[in-house]
Amino acid sequence: MKIDVDKLRFGLDTFGDVAYTDTFHTKMSYRESLQNLIKEGQLADQLGLDVIALGEHHREEFSISSPEVVLGALASTTKNIHLSTGVTVLSSDDPVRVYERFATIDAISDGRAEIILGRGSFTESFPLFGYDLKDYDDLFVEKVGLFNALLTQDHVDWESKHVQKLENVRTYPRIEGHQLPVAIGVGGTPESVLRTAYYGYSLVLAIISGDADRFAPYIKLYKKAAEEYGTKVGEIGVHSHGIITEDDDDEAYNIGWKYIKSSMDRVGKDRGWPEMTRERYNYEVIKGALYVGSVETVAKRIATTISDLGIDRFDLVYGTGGQLESDRMRTIELYATKVIPRVKEILQEANENE
């Protein structure tokens, strides 16, 4: 499949995992973690990355519970990078407030705000904000509907079971000059793919395990559904975890085994997953969803994923499990300055050979 290399976008994502200090290898405070996240976002901007997406979590190991606040800080200290969430858990939030917050970020950043909406693969926010998990699906359906109305209508009338009634409401500030780019993050639910197509939103596939090509049917479903609904096919992206070193696969492998494994095992306890074995980890690094290794190794794997799926965007999730701050910064720098140019080179060579 020929890829339009010039239209590709490359992003950087973080869940706000609390990093470890280089000096003592101890966990940073939340204050230090958040200040370092700002530095990481600034570095990503300086190196020319297209987008940074911040995850929303309400757990001990993560420092970002209010990604829009951090994006607001980045809006005034960066120049070009697009500022997104990855994801905003809309089901346990207020669509009106979400629109207002992103209109604010968009104004401060001069039109660089984006949003990825999600139902919430982590569910801590539901009881925290007074929502019942038995309404998990209905909450998202209703709130996406209201959010879309706020995006596309000047004045909104709305009434549904789980969302406040609105009569001829206009929110402020307004997003001016363009419409906010919206995507839905999908972990593998066909209903979410169909909903994304229905609204004409972009699609971001969260691939955290297994072969990327198993998601090809979801992309096909998305495009077919958009055609049937008469909506546009938006940007199609993939988001996966990674660690990059200059030329030493083993060094990256060992960092991942220490930090990614511990993170996945911690999450797995809540979800009933078995602990990650060495065999499973090896599979994910060689063929699966972990882009771990040297510049050349990671570049080849990303190029293969882009080519096999025909996607428009690849987001690398960095800092999983915390990691030393110097290793996080190195991954960002190598991703921007060496991996992405090499990915484009590989894809361009493939285009010329077809």
Side-chain angles (χ1 to χ4, degrees):
M1 177 184 298
K2 281 197 173 184
I3 301 296
D4 190 339
V5 176
D6 293 333
K7 290 185 178 180
L8 289 174
R9 289 209 303 164
F10 291 90
L12 194 70
D13 296 4
T14 177
F15 295 144
D17 308 66
V18 179
Y20 290 81
T21 64
D22 292 332
T23 305
F24 300 108
H25 294 198
T26 54
K27 267 199 170 185
M28 292 180 176
S29 67
Y30 292 112
R31 174 181 58 83
E32 290 171 325
S33 175
L34 288 164
Q35 290 175 355
N36 272 281
L37 283 165
I38 297 298
K39 293 176 184 176
E40 291 166 355
Q42 291 169 337
L43 177 63
D45 178 54
Q46 293 163 9
L47 296 175
L49 285 164
D50 295 307
V51 60
I52 185 166
L54 307 182
E56 174 192 342
H57 290 291
H58 306 268
R59 297 168 62 96
E60 181 182 7
E61 64 266 33
F62 302 116
S63 60
I64 304 176
S65 59
S66 302
E68 298 92 344
V69 176
V70 184
L71 292 175
L74 285 171
S76 60
T77 59
T78 59
K79 294 180 179 180
N80 299 305
I81 196 167
H82 284 236
L83 307 168
S84 179
T85 48
V87 302
T88 292
V89 185
L90 187 63
S91 304
S92 59
D93 212 328
D94 181 342
V96 176
R97 293 294 289 147
V98 170
Y99 178 90
E100 290 175 341
R101 294 197 296 263
F102 275 87
T104 302
I105 294 168
D106 197 69
I108 296 170
S109 67
D110 197 23
R112 291 185 282 130
E114 300 185 6
I115 188 169
I116 302 176
L117 303 174
R119 295 189 302 171
S121 59
F122 288 77
T123 57
E124 291 82 6
S125 62
F126 287 79
L128 191 62
F129 301 124
Y131 294 98
D132 195 324
L133 279 171
K134 70 179 176 60
D135 301 320
Y136 181 82
D137 290 322
D138 292 341
L139 282 166
F140 190 65
V141 170
E142 292 183 23
K143 291 189 176 188
V144 169
L146 174 54
F147 186 75
N148 190 70
L150 293 164
L151 278 177
T152 58
Q153 300 173 24
D154 194 51
H155 292 77
V156 174
D157 294 293
W158 186 270
E159 185 172 5
S160 60
K161 181 179 178 180
H162 298 287
V163 180
Q164 67 268 39
K165 181 178 179 179
L166 302 179
E167 294 182 357
N168 197 35
V169 168
R170 193 171 197 261
T171 53
Y172 304 97
R174 305 298 299 169
I175 296 173
E176 300 172 337
H178 70 120
Q179 192 172 97
L180 179 74
V182 181
I184 290 182
V186 176
T189 307
E191 291 80 8
S192 293
V193 175
L194 294 173
R195 189 175 297 113
T196 305
Y198 177 79
Y199 286 111
Y201 292 161
S202 295
L203 175 70
V204 176
L205 298 166
I207 304 179
I208 62 172
S209 67
D211 299 1
D213 58 12
R214 67 190 175 92
F215 281 78
Y218 292 100
I219 295 175
K220 184 177 181 180
L221 174 64
Y222 170 64
K223 291 180 177 179
K224 181 179 180 182
E227 182 180 359
E228 293 181 358
Y229 290 136
T231 55
K232 67 180 179 67
V233 174
E235 182 180 64
I236 301 171
V238 161
H239 135 132
S240 291
H241 297 266
I243 297 168
I244 306 168
T245 52
E246 180 76 47
D247 53 16
D248 190 339
D249 286 333
D250 289 341
E251 183 186 3
Y253 176 97
N254 290 331
I255 294 170
W257 177 248
K258 179 176 181 178
Y259 291 102
I260 294 179
K261 171 183 163 53
S262 66
S263 178
M264 295 299 183
D265 287 349
R266 187 162 51 244
V267 173
K269 286 181 180 178
D270 296 338
R271 301 188 182 183
W273 299 345
E275 285 193 8
M276 180 176 280
T277 63
R278 182 74 73 168
E279 180 182 22
R280 183 65 196 179
Y281 178 69
N282 290 344
Y283 175 84
E284 296 294 349
V285 168
I286 295 170
K287 193 179 178 183
L290 298 182
Y291 295 78
V292 171
S294 65
V295 167
E296 185 68 13
T297 295
V298 173
K300 286 179 178 177
R301 295 211 55 233
I302 291 175
T304 297
T305 296
I306 293 172
S307 180
D308 287 351
L309 296 180
I311 57 176
D312 312 299
R313 169 178 169 180
F314 184 92
D315 281 12
L316 186 79
V317 184
Y318 77 97
T320 308
Q323 303 177 31
L324 295 179
E325 178 56 18
S326 57
D327 290 335
R328 293 159 64 110
M329 287 290 200
R330 177 174 57 175
T331 286
I332 295 170
E333 184 172 0
L334 291 175
Y335 178 57
T337 63
K338 295 193 175 182
V339 169
I340 292 171
R342 180 64 180 133
V343 169
K344 292 180 178 180
E345 184 179 63
I346 293 168
L347 292 171
Q348 193 59 54
E349 289 172 356
N351 286 342
E352 293 168 359
N353 291 330
E354 278 198 12

